[in-house]
Amino acid sequence: MPAGEDQFKTETSNVSTLIEFILLGFSDVPRLQWTLFMIFLFMYLEILMSNSIIIMLAKTDPALQNPMYFFLSNFSFLEVCYVTATIPRMLMDLYTRKGNISLLSCATQMYFVLMLGGTECLLLAAMAYDRYVAICKPLQYSLLMKDKVCWQLVATSWISGIPVEIGQTYQIFSLHFCASNKIDHFFCDIPPLLKLACGDTSVITVAVYVVAVLFVMVPFLLILVSYVKIICNIMKLSSSTGRAKAFSTCSSHLIVVILFYGTASITYLQPKSNQSEGMGKLLSLFYTILIPALNPVIYTLRNKDIMMALKKLQIKLLTWWKSLI
């Protein structure tokens, strides 16, 4: 064992007990550490600001007081929580050029990433259901999407993954990690951790696939069914203007679904032996940072109501600023 790793392990009866991991992050590109720090800091601030604006608009603008924007504001809050589980830690590692992370901190980070990722899958399914009811059953929309129903869907999305991910995180961190204490990733994720485990991990691997199917594939199938029915219903509309308007209300959500599910599915459903460390980090960057950074842009630029609310906000701020001057 290299001398530098002695401080991370204690030996008892020939069994290595890991007390600390090292997140390698982007150490393979040392000359780009400061550049990456500035890029990810800018992206984090952009995510915080843009999602906060969406939440504020959805809460204050009368034109946005409906279920669609209620779900969108919850989704924006979720995105803020999701990126906060990874980016601040990554920024600290880039700044200090040290990736030391305790077992407890690693387990905590993994739990929140998995729980919030599962919540995102379920919330995207709830948003698809909202669009299905709005387009396929417009006369029943106010009845089917009452405030109580919306709150129940959001609460179910947030709560469902908590016990499952607590169990999965405990199961993974009950393993013995004897291969190394170096995680070739920028956060504590399942695939790179399983590569460090010694002994048979087939049972846990199967459990990971089962959870991934429940929280990734099942919501995706529900979304797929919703959009098949939505598209069939839209194609029945005689007015081309009506079809264009109906498509525009769904296009943003559909783009987000494709981007998020595409990268998350490859990461958690592909056999770990078929995925290189570099590809795993790249895919993780997409669904944990790049897509959350793009989501506010996708929703605002393709949504006339939000653009109108933004213009109103700009006018109010400008009027307020002039009154101060």
Side-chain angles (χ1 to χ4, degrees):
M1 180 187 298
E5 295 186 9
D6 288 343
Q7 61 180 311
F8 304 119
K9 296 184 179 183
T10 58
E11 300 291 337
T12 307
S13 303
N14 297 323
V15 177
S16 296
T17 303
L18 206 63
I19 61 173
E20 195 170 32
F21 284 114
I22 299 176
L23 288 167
L24 296 181
F26 304 97
S27 57
D28 52 337
V29 283
R31 294 181 180 179
L32 297 177
Q33 297 286 302
W34 279 108
T35 303
L36 291 173
F37 177 85
M38 295 306 298
I39 290 172
F40 291 131
L41 176 62
F42 173 78
M43 293 179 73
Y44 184 51
L45 294 175
E46 182 270 329
I47 291 168
L48 293 181
M49 183 180 68
S50 55
N51 282 290
S52 297
I53 290 173
I54 290 175
I55 293 169
M56 182 183 67
L57 291 176
K59 296 291 184 184
T60 59
D61 195 289
L64 304 182
Q65 302 298 307
N66 60 59
M68 177 180 175
Y69 297 105
F70 170 76
F71 286 117
L72 182 56
S73 65
N74 274 275
F75 184 73
S76 294
F77 176 70
L78 172 62
E79 291 289 69
V80 170
C81 296
Y82 193 46
V83 297
T84 301
T86 56
I87 297 184
R89 172 77 213 193
M90 182 175 62
L91 290 174
M92 185 183 74
D93 292 342
L94 286 168
Y95 180 78
T96 62
R97 302 199 177 188
K98 295 178 182 179
N100 299 32
I101 183 170
S102 68
L103 225 66
L104 178 60
S105 297
C106 190
T108 301
Q109 185 184 52
M110 175 183 282
Y111 163 73
F112 278 106
V113 170
L114 294 177
M115 187 273 289
L116 293 169
T119 300
E120 182 155 343
C121 292
L122 296 173
L123 193 55
L124 285 170
M127 293 168 76
Y129 174 71
D130 171 66
R131 292 299 82 207
Y132 160 74
V133 176
I135 293 173
C136 299
K137 300 183 178 181
L139 298 179
Q140 302 176 48
Y141 185 74
S142 58
L143 179 64
L144 293 175
M145 298 305 296
K146 294 185 294 186
D147 288 348
K148 182 180 179 180
V149 174
C150 293
W151 277 106
Q152 287 173 340
L153 288 171
V154 168
T156 300
S157 299
W158 279 92
I159 295 171
S160 296
I162 293 176
V164 175
E165 297 308 341
I166 287 176
Q168 187 171 63
T169 303
Y170 175 79
Q171 188 181 37
I172 290 170
F173 280 85
S174 296
L175 293 168
H176 289 291
F177 300 97
C178 57
S180 172
N181 68 325
K182 295 181 179 179
I183 303 174
D184 193 5
H185 214 297
F186 59 89
F187 71 95
C188 292
D189 201 8
I190 294 176
L193 270 170
L194 287 181
K195 289 181 179 180
L196 302 183
C198 52
D200 184 16
T201 61
S202 58
V203 174
I204 292 180
T205 302
V206 170
V208 170
Y209 279 119
V210 170
V211 172
V213 167
L214 286 174
F215 284 91
V216 179
M217 294 310 296
V218 171
F220 178 73
L221 290 175
L222 293 173
I223 292 170
L224 187 62
V225 170
S226 297
Y227 272 102
V228 167
K229 293 185 176 182
I230 287 171
I231 292 170
C232 290
N233 194 274
I234 290 174
M235 296 309 294
K236 293 178 182 177
L237 296 175
S238 56
S239 169
S240 59
T241 305
R243 287 197 297 268
K245 185 177 179 180
F247 272 122
S248 68
T249 62
C250 301
S251 58
S252 299
H253 179 255
L254 192 56
I255 291 169
V256 171
V257 167
I258 292 170
L259 290 173
F260 179 77
Y261 272 94
T263 51
S265 298
I266 294 171
T267 300
Y268 291 104
L269 296 177
Q270 184 184 22
K272 62 178 181 177
S273 59
N274 296 343
Q275 191 179 96
S276 66
E277 283 82 358
M279 181 57 70
K281 279 194 275 190
L282 181 61
L283 290 171
S284 297
L285 271 176
F286 266 94
Y287 73 82
T288 59
I289 299 174
L290 294 179
I291 294 174
L294 289 173
N295 284 347
V297 178
I298 293 170
Y299 275 111
T300 53
L301 293 181
R302 301 183 64 87
N303 191 298
K304 293 181 180 179
D305 291 336
I306 291 182
M307 291 300 292
M308 186 63 68
L310 275 173
K311 288 179 181 178
K312 290 179 185 177
L313 178 63
Q314 288 174 347
I315 292 171
K316 287 181 181 179
L317 291 175
L318 187 60
T319 304
W320 173 77
W321 178 252
K322 287 182 177 179
S323 67
L324 291 177
I325 298 175

